Amino acid sequence: MMALSAARDAVYRRALDFAARQTRAVVEREPGFYPMYTRQGRWRHGQEAWTQWTDGFFAGLLWKLYAYTGDPWWRQQAEVYSAALEPRQHDREVHDLGFVFLNSYWPWQCVSGDRRLEAVIVQAGRTLAMRFNERGQFLRSFLAPESLFIDIMMNVPIILHAARVTGDVRLREIALAHCRTTARYLVRADGSTAHEGIFDLETGQFLRQSTQQGLRAESAWARGLAWSLYGFATVYRYTELPEFLEVSRRNAAYFVEHLPADGVPHWDFDADPTAPPPWGAQKDSSAAAIAASGLFDLAQLSGEDRWREAALQLLDALCGPKFLADQTPGWEGMLLHGVYHTGKGLGVDESVIWGDFFFVEALGKAVGLASSANSLPHSGADPQNS
Ligand code: GLY
């Protein structure tokens, strides 16, 4: 692996310092508040959430900034914001329990060594597994029983985690079945992904690709592709099954080869960049941040340095004046030009907390933060490898 140049190291550490200032300001302004997306640069507003999936990201940011700074203030805050999430281990309303607990309780367990925290993660994994549709062999999205989302690939690792900790073979079977169904129906031959799949609940048969947050059923919603790239890489990390590494690699190739000249994707790879925003030339900086973090992992898992170089180029773009909010007085997030939900008009051209979270995670990987709180360090295949 090539060493990070001194110039890049300095730029990335400046961005991390900025991230710490922005995050500290959120905590000091309104303790206990979990930001989701900004409106005109402000985290606090009365707009809807659509679904409650993001609270683990703010707790996770605090853990990552603890890893970066070593300052116990961050750990104290991280514990407070993580502990408040505990009741969510039983939350049957969302498919996002990996996002919630692998970014809060997992780093907490790694930092503290307290095995009692493990029970919460395991329960969250079991709760997520209850979404399994036996006939269709997938975990259903929060939206409807017949709906499978690409986003769930980022959450399914918590089921593998629970399976590993408990030795529960059924949990592992559910997770692998979900991944294979997703790879078969949502990931296309060219590496692009559909956001959603719709199944016949009577027969379990796959009916069609669809979308909630992308441009069209057959388009490549940029964030969904980033979730897939990163999610399949993480599943490979757990299982060492090459079929999952192959999917991640295919996603990565599509993502990298379709980037525009400024290095950050539009919100959907099929959006017309000559048309006005929000349906046309709207960027999604969060897709770039997620992909950067996933590409670092893919580089490590595959041994292919080109993915690391692609991740660094994404970070270079995000650290530039067009995307980093450090030159925008009064803006409360870190990354400009993210999107939550174009169709609903939520968080369009704003900061989004998952964008900021994965940006900090990717910066941490780039500068070589060797902390368990900086990434999910699950390595090695599970005992039952099939
Ligand atoms: N619902 C997950 C996302 O907006 O990416």
Side-chain angles (χ1 to χ4, degrees), residues 24-190:
R24 194 174 186 119
V26 175
V27 174
E28 290 179 345
R29 199 162 43 234
E30 199 171 347
F33 172 63
Y34 292 79
M36 190 179 193
Y37 62 91
T38 62
R39 190 175 185 198
Q40 295 173 345
R42 308 278 164 165
W43 290 118
R44 177 59 97 174
H45 51 75
Q47 283 200 300
E48 66 164 294
W50 190 42
T51 164
Q52 205 64 41
W53 63 286
T54 57
D55 292 349
F57 296 129
F58 195 69
L61 260 181
L62 298 166
W63 285 114
K64 290 186 190 309
L65 291 167
Y66 173 56
Y68 176 58
T69 62
D71 178 345
W73 183 86
W74 293 103
R75 179 174 172 177
Q76 283 159 15
Q77 299 303 327
E79 290 193 11
V80 170
Y81 280 78
S82 296
L85 301 176
E86 187 185 348
R88 301 282 308 276
Q89 67 186 292
H90 302 292
D91 187 346
R92 306 274 312 262
E93 301 299 315
V94 300
H95 55 246
D96 303 291
L97 295 181
F99 283 141
V100 175
F101 287 99
L102 290 178
N103 297 318
S104 57
Y105 270 68
W106 173 246
W108 191 2
Q109 185 189 333
C110 292
V111 167
S112 66
D114 185 348
R115 295 297 293 266
R116 287 170 302 180
L117 299 167
E118 193 167 76
V120 175
I121 304 174
V122 167
Q123 179 55 53
R126 290 196 184 285
T127 304
L128 182 60
M130 291 176 200
R131 308 189 76 79
F132 192 61
N133 178 303
E134 193 66 51
R135 286 190 180 146
Q137 298 284 292
F138 65 93
L139 297 158
R140 66 184 173 84
S141 82
F142 83 97
L143 201 61
E146 64 273 21
S147 157
L148 157 68
F149 274 16
I150 194 70
D151 327 20
I152 301 173
M153 280 311 304
M154 287 294 282
N155 292 283
V156 76
I158 199 169
I159 302 181
L160 288 169
H161 188 98
R164 176 178 286 190
V165 169
T166 61
D168 186 331
V169 176
R170 181 63 190 144
L171 285 177
R172 183 182 158 82
E173 285 171 355
I174 286 173
L176 293 187
H178 175 85
C179 296
R180 287 177 176 139
T181 303
T182 305
R184 184 164 179 201
Y185 295 121
L186 296 194
V187 183
R188 306 182 184 113
D190 66 0

Side-chain angles (χ1 to χ4, degrees), residues 14 16-26 65 74 326:
R14 262 201 307 279
L16 282 166
D17 293 341
F18 171 63
R21 289 197 301 279
Q22 295 295 80
T23 307
R24 194 174 186 119
V26 175
L65 291 167
W74 293 103
D326 61 346

